[in-house]
Amino acid sequence: QVQLQESGPGLVKPSQTLSLTCTVSDGAISSGSDYWDWIRQPAGEGLEWIGRIHSSGTTNYNPSFKSRVTISVDTSNSLFSLKLSSVTAADTAVYYCANLELATLIPWGQGTLVTVSS
Amino acid sequence: DIQMTQSPSSLSASVGDRVTITCRASQSINRYLYWYQQKPGEAPKLLIYDASRLPSWVPSRFSGGGSETEFTLTINSLQAEDLAVYHCQQNYRTPWTFGQGTKVEIK
């Protein structure tokens, strides 16, 4: 089964850029034609979709983040990445990577907590 | 954006009870609806897709229904391990949007 694993700094200073990577096992990004998603969840709150990238590089972003977010893909290393700029305390959350259109086949990553604090 | 509204926001029920959660969409989404189960400290896990279809790993006490703008998730004979937050998500049109979640507690 394909597995996803998030990685990146757990602490980011306000106004800086949050950077996370999602590694996809078994080279699934390069072997398929799929979209790969980032979702976040502030503590005690609901889920918020940030955006997605196709293995070809095409992106869709949530307009709520559009001016601050960049999602990229590296098919040769089977990973995709999230950058969120100008972060504030409101961006403190657990960040998940997933493949929402193939959720019946691919479970979400376990999630990684990112805290924005000086 | 398509707004998803769940009710109730939380509920408490006894083992063996039948529990129903509702999810309403701000516009028709056909049957493009997922339900997720999120146990404490874990990532969400797919519970139902296409409004009523169960993945192979989901117990048959879970069922989903509805179409267009109104959907339900029913747990027949609630079990202690069903303690979780349940989320609906529309996958009709981006930006994908989620309900605010329903917390199910066991009395």
PDB file of all heavy atoms in Angstrom, chain B residues 46-63:
ATOM      1  N   LEU B  46     -10.709   7.420   5.796  1.00  0.00           N
ATOM      2  CA  LEU B  46     -11.921   7.370   4.981  1.00  0.00           C
ATOM      3  C   LEU B  46     -12.893   6.340   5.530  1.00  0.00           C
ATOM      4  O   LEU B  46     -12.525   5.189   5.799  1.00  0.00           O
ATOM      5  CB  LEU B  46     -11.567   7.047   3.538  1.00  0.00           C
ATOM      6  CG  LEU B  46     -12.740   7.083   2.562  1.00  0.00           C
ATOM      7  CD1 LEU B  46     -13.232   8.519   2.372  1.00  0.00           C
ATOM      8  CD2 LEU B  46     -12.344   6.476   1.221  1.00  0.00           C
ATOM      9  N   LEU B  47     -14.136   6.749   5.644  1.00  0.00           N
ATOM     10  CA  LEU B  47     -15.189   5.888   6.175  1.00  0.00           C
ATOM     11  C   LEU B  47     -16.225   5.532   5.105  1.00  0.00           C
ATOM     12  O   LEU B  47     -16.690   4.400   5.025  1.00  0.00           O
ATOM     13  CB  LEU B  47     -15.876   6.624   7.334  1.00  0.00           C
ATOM     14  CG  LEU B  47     -16.737   5.853   8.307  1.00  0.00           C
ATOM     15  CD1 LEU B  47     -15.917   4.838   9.082  1.00  0.00           C
ATOM     16  CD2 LEU B  47     -17.414   6.837   9.275  1.00  0.00           C
ATOM     17  N   ILE B  48     -16.586   6.535   4.314  1.00  0.00           N
ATOM     18  CA  ILE B  48     -17.597   6.358   3.265  1.00  0.00           C
ATOM     19  C   ILE B  48     -17.220   7.246   2.095  1.00  0.00           C
ATOM     20  O   ILE B  48     -16.754   8.373   2.284  1.00  0.00           O
ATOM     21  CB  ILE B  48     -19.002   6.726   3.789  1.00  0.00           C
ATOM     22  CG1 ILE B  48     -19.499   5.641   4.754  1.00  0.00           C
ATOM     23  CG2 ILE B  48     -20.000   6.929   2.644  1.00  0.00           C
ATOM     24  CD1 ILE B  48     -20.806   5.949   5.433  1.00  0.00           C
ATOM     25  N   TYR B  49     -17.406   6.745   0.882  1.00  0.00           N
ATOM     26  CA  TYR B  49     -17.183   7.556  -0.310  1.00  0.00           C
ATOM     27  C   TYR B  49     -18.400   7.462  -1.224  1.00  0.00           C
ATOM     28  O   TYR B  49     -19.229   6.564  -1.083  1.00  0.00           O
ATOM     29  CB  TYR B  49     -15.892   7.134  -1.031  1.00  0.00           C
ATOM     30  CG  TYR B  49     -15.900   5.730  -1.610  1.00  0.00           C
ATOM     31  CD1 TYR B  49     -16.101   5.518  -2.969  1.00  0.00           C
ATOM     32  CD2 TYR B  49     -15.688   4.623  -0.790  1.00  0.00           C
ATOM     33  CE1 TYR B  49     -16.097   4.239  -3.499  1.00  0.00           C
ATOM     34  CE2 TYR B  49     -15.687   3.341  -1.312  1.00  0.00           C
ATOM     35  CZ  TYR B  49     -15.887   3.151  -2.671  1.00  0.00           C
ATOM     36  OH  TYR B  49     -15.883   1.874  -3.197  1.00  0.00           O
ATOM     37  N   ASP B  50     -18.494   8.422  -2.145  1.00  0.00           N
ATOM     38  CA  ASP B  50     -19.664   8.505  -3.028  1.00  0.00           C
ATOM     39  C   ASP B  50     -20.966   8.446  -2.225  1.00  0.00           C
ATOM     40  O   ASP B  50     -21.930   7.772  -2.630  1.00  0.00           O
ATOM     41  CB  ASP B  50     -19.633   7.393  -4.075  1.00  0.00           C
ATOM     42  CG  ASP B  50     -18.469   7.537  -5.047  1.00  0.00           C
ATOM     43  OD1 ASP B  50     -17.840   8.612  -5.054  1.00  0.00           O
ATOM     44  OD2 ASP B  50     -18.190   6.580  -5.777  1.00  0.00           O
ATOM     45  N   ALA B  51     -20.958   9.092  -1.095  1.00  0.00           N
ATOM     46  CA  ALA B  51     -22.119   9.265  -0.204  1.00  0.00           C
ATOM     47  C   ALA B  51     -22.551   8.010   0.544  1.00  0.00           C
ATOM     48  O   ALA B  51     -23.049   8.112   1.676  1.00  0.00           O
ATOM     49  CB  ALA B  51     -23.315   9.835  -0.965  1.00  0.00           C
ATOM     50  N   SER B  52     -22.376   6.834  -0.064  1.00  0.00           N
ATOM     51  CA  SER B  52     -22.941   5.644   0.591  1.00  0.00           C
ATOM     52  C   SER B  52     -22.090   4.388   0.448  1.00  0.00           C
ATOM     53  O   SER B  52     -22.499   3.319   0.916  1.00  0.00           O
ATOM     54  CB  SER B  52     -24.340   5.357   0.030  1.00  0.00           C
ATOM     55  OG  SER B  52     -24.262   5.083  -1.353  1.00  0.00           O
ATOM     56  N   ARG B  53     -20.935   4.497  -0.187  1.00  0.00           N
ATOM     57  CA  ARG B  53     -20.128   3.303  -0.423  1.00  0.00           C
ATOM     58  C   ARG B  53     -19.081   3.123   0.673  1.00  0.00           C
ATOM     59  O   ARG B  53     -18.391   4.091   1.043  1.00  0.00           O
ATOM     60  CB  ARG B  53     -19.477   3.374  -1.798  1.00  0.00           C
ATOM     61  CG  ARG B  53     -20.502   3.488  -2.922  1.00  0.00           C
ATOM     62  CD  ARG B  53     -19.865   3.570  -4.284  1.00  0.00           C
ATOM     63  NE  ARG B  53     -19.233   2.302  -4.655  1.00  0.00           N
ATOM     64  CZ  ARG B  53     -18.635   2.104  -5.821  1.00  0.00           C
ATOM     65  NH1 ARG B  53     -18.567   3.078  -6.713  1.00  0.00           N
ATOM     66  NH2 ARG B  53     -18.087   0.947  -6.092  1.00  0.00           N
ATOM     67  N   LEU B  54     -18.954   1.905   1.168  1.00  0.00           N
ATOM     68  CA  LEU B  54     -18.023   1.611   2.247  1.00  0.00           C
ATOM     69  C   LEU B  54     -16.754   0.952   1.708  1.00  0.00           C
ATOM     70  O   LEU B  54     -16.834  -0.045   0.969  1.00  0.00           O
ATOM     71  CB  LEU B  54     -18.663   0.652   3.260  1.00  0.00           C
ATOM     72  CG  LEU B  54     -19.410   1.265   4.438  1.00  0.00           C
ATOM     73  CD1 LEU B  54     -20.627   2.047   3.979  1.00  0.00           C
ATOM     74  CD2 LEU B  54     -19.815   0.175   5.422  1.00  0.00           C
ATOM     75  N   PRO B  55     -15.579   1.473   2.084  1.00  0.00           N
ATOM     76  CA  PRO B  55     -14.342   0.740   1.796  1.00  0.00           C
ATOM     77  C   PRO B  55     -14.375  -0.604   2.514  1.00  0.00           C
ATOM     78  O   PRO B  55     -15.110  -0.796   3.478  1.00  0.00           O
ATOM     79  CB  PRO B  55     -13.248   1.658   2.368  1.00  0.00           C
ATOM     80  CG  PRO B  55     -13.877   3.004   2.452  1.00  0.00           C
ATOM     81  CD  PRO B  55     -15.325   2.758   2.743  1.00  0.00           C
ATOM     82  N   SER B  56     -13.542  -1.511   2.068  1.00  0.00           N
ATOM     83  CA  SER B  56     -13.590  -2.881   2.572  1.00  0.00           C
ATOM     84  C   SER B  56     -13.290  -2.988   4.063  1.00  0.00           C
ATOM     85  O   SER B  56     -13.726  -3.938   4.721  1.00  0.00           O
ATOM     86  CB  SER B  56     -12.608  -3.747   1.780  1.00  0.00           C
ATOM     87  OG  SER B  56     -11.291  -3.239   1.903  1.00  0.00           O
ATOM     88  N   TRP B  57     -12.524  -2.034   4.599  1.00  0.00           N
ATOM     89  CA  TRP B  57     -12.114  -2.131   6.001  1.00  0.00           C
ATOM     90  C   TRP B  57     -13.127  -1.563   6.993  1.00  0.00           C
ATOM     91  O   TRP B  57     -12.923  -1.633   8.199  1.00  0.00           O
ATOM     92  CB  TRP B  57     -10.771  -1.415   6.189  1.00  0.00           C
ATOM     93  CG  TRP B  57     -10.808   0.048   5.849  1.00  0.00           C
ATOM     94  CD1 TRP B  57     -11.260   1.083   6.635  1.00  0.00           C
ATOM     95  CD2 TRP B  57     -10.412   0.644   4.615  1.00  0.00           C
ATOM     96  NE1 TRP B  57     -11.159   2.260   5.969  1.00  0.00           N
ATOM     97  CE2 TRP B  57     -10.641   2.052   4.735  1.00  0.00           C
ATOM     98  CE3 TRP B  57      -9.886   0.145   3.438  1.00  0.00           C
ATOM     99  CZ2 TRP B  57     -10.348   2.936   3.692  1.00  0.00           C
ATOM    100  CZ3 TRP B  57      -9.590   1.023   2.413  1.00  0.00           C
ATOM    101  CH2 TRP B  57      -9.828   2.399   2.547  1.00  0.00           C
ATOM    102  N   VAL B  58     -14.218  -0.991   6.489  1.00  0.00           N
ATOM    103  CA  VAL B  58     -15.189  -0.326   7.365  1.00  0.00           C
ATOM    104  C   VAL B  58     -16.295  -1.301   7.789  1.00  0.00           C
ATOM    105  O   VAL B  58     -16.891  -1.968   6.928  1.00  0.00           O
ATOM    106  CB  VAL B  58     -15.809   0.890   6.650  1.00  0.00           C
ATOM    107  CG1 VAL B  58     -16.907   1.516   7.512  1.00  0.00           C
ATOM    108  CG2 VAL B  58     -14.718   1.917   6.348  1.00  0.00           C
ATOM    109  N   PRO B  59     -16.535  -1.397   9.094  1.00  0.00           N
ATOM    110  CA  PRO B  59     -17.596  -2.308   9.571  1.00  0.00           C
ATOM    111  C   PRO B  59     -18.969  -1.941   9.013  1.00  0.00           C
ATOM    112  O   PRO B  59     -19.259  -0.766   8.781  1.00  0.00           O
ATOM    113  CB  PRO B  59     -17.562  -2.107  11.093  1.00  0.00           C
ATOM    114  CG  PRO B  59     -16.228  -1.542  11.389  1.00  0.00           C
ATOM    115  CD  PRO B  59     -15.843  -0.731  10.193  1.00  0.00           C
ATOM    116  N   SER B  60     -19.802  -2.930   8.842  1.00  0.00           N
ATOM    117  CA  SER B  60     -21.102  -2.732   8.206  1.00  0.00           C
ATOM    118  C   SER B  60     -22.089  -1.966   9.079  1.00  0.00           C
ATOM    119  O   SER B  60     -23.173  -1.591   8.602  1.00  0.00           O
ATOM    120  CB  SER B  60     -21.710  -4.081   7.816  1.00  0.00           C
ATOM    121  OG  SER B  60     -21.841  -4.895   8.969  1.00  0.00           O
ATOM    122  N   ARG B  61     -21.740  -1.692  10.338  1.00  0.00           N
ATOM    123  CA  ARG B  61     -22.637  -0.886  11.169  1.00  0.00           C
ATOM    124  C   ARG B  61     -22.634   0.590  10.732  1.00  0.00           C
ATOM    125  O   ARG B  61     -23.511   1.362  11.142  1.00  0.00           O
ATOM    126  CB  ARG B  61     -22.264  -0.983  12.649  1.00  0.00           C
ATOM    127  CG  ARG B  61     -20.926  -0.423  13.020  1.00  0.00           C
ATOM    128  CD  ARG B  61     -20.681  -0.560  14.529  1.00  0.00           C
ATOM    129  NE  ARG B  61     -19.372  -0.036  14.933  1.00  0.00           N
ATOM    130  CZ  ARG B  61     -18.260  -0.742  14.901  1.00  0.00           C
ATOM    131  NH1 ARG B  61     -18.291  -2.000  14.495  1.00  0.00           N
ATOM    132  NH2 ARG B  61     -17.112  -0.211  15.287  1.00  0.00           N
ATOM    133  N   PHE B  62     -21.667   0.960   9.901  1.00  0.00           N
ATOM    134  CA  PHE B  62     -21.632   2.307   9.354  1.00  0.00           C
ATOM    135  C   PHE B  62     -22.392   2.326   8.018  1.00  0.00           C
ATOM    136  O   PHE B  62     -22.250   1.416   7.197  1.00  0.00           O
ATOM    137  CB  PHE B  62     -20.194   2.780   9.111  1.00  0.00           C
ATOM    138  CG  PHE B  62     -19.421   3.020  10.380  1.00  0.00           C
ATOM    139  CD1 PHE B  62     -18.646   2.005  10.926  1.00  0.00           C
ATOM    140  CD2 PHE B  62     -19.462   4.251  11.020  1.00  0.00           C
ATOM    141  CE1 PHE B  62     -17.925   2.212  12.099  1.00  0.00           C
ATOM    142  CE2 PHE B  62     -18.757   4.467  12.187  1.00  0.00           C
ATOM    143  CZ  PHE B  62     -17.992   3.450  12.729  1.00  0.00           C
ATOM    144  N   SER B  63     -23.174   3.374   7.814  1.00  0.00           N
ATOM    145  CA  SER B  63     -23.839   3.530   6.530  1.00  0.00           C
ATOM    146  C   SER B  63     -23.995   5.010   6.220  1.00  0.00           C
ATOM    147  O   SER B  63     -24.052   5.851   7.116  1.00  0.00           O
ATOM    148  CB  SER B  63     -25.206   2.844   6.519  1.00  0.00           C
ATOM    149  OG  SER B  63     -26.063   3.432   7.473  1.00  0.00           O
TER     150      SER B  63
END
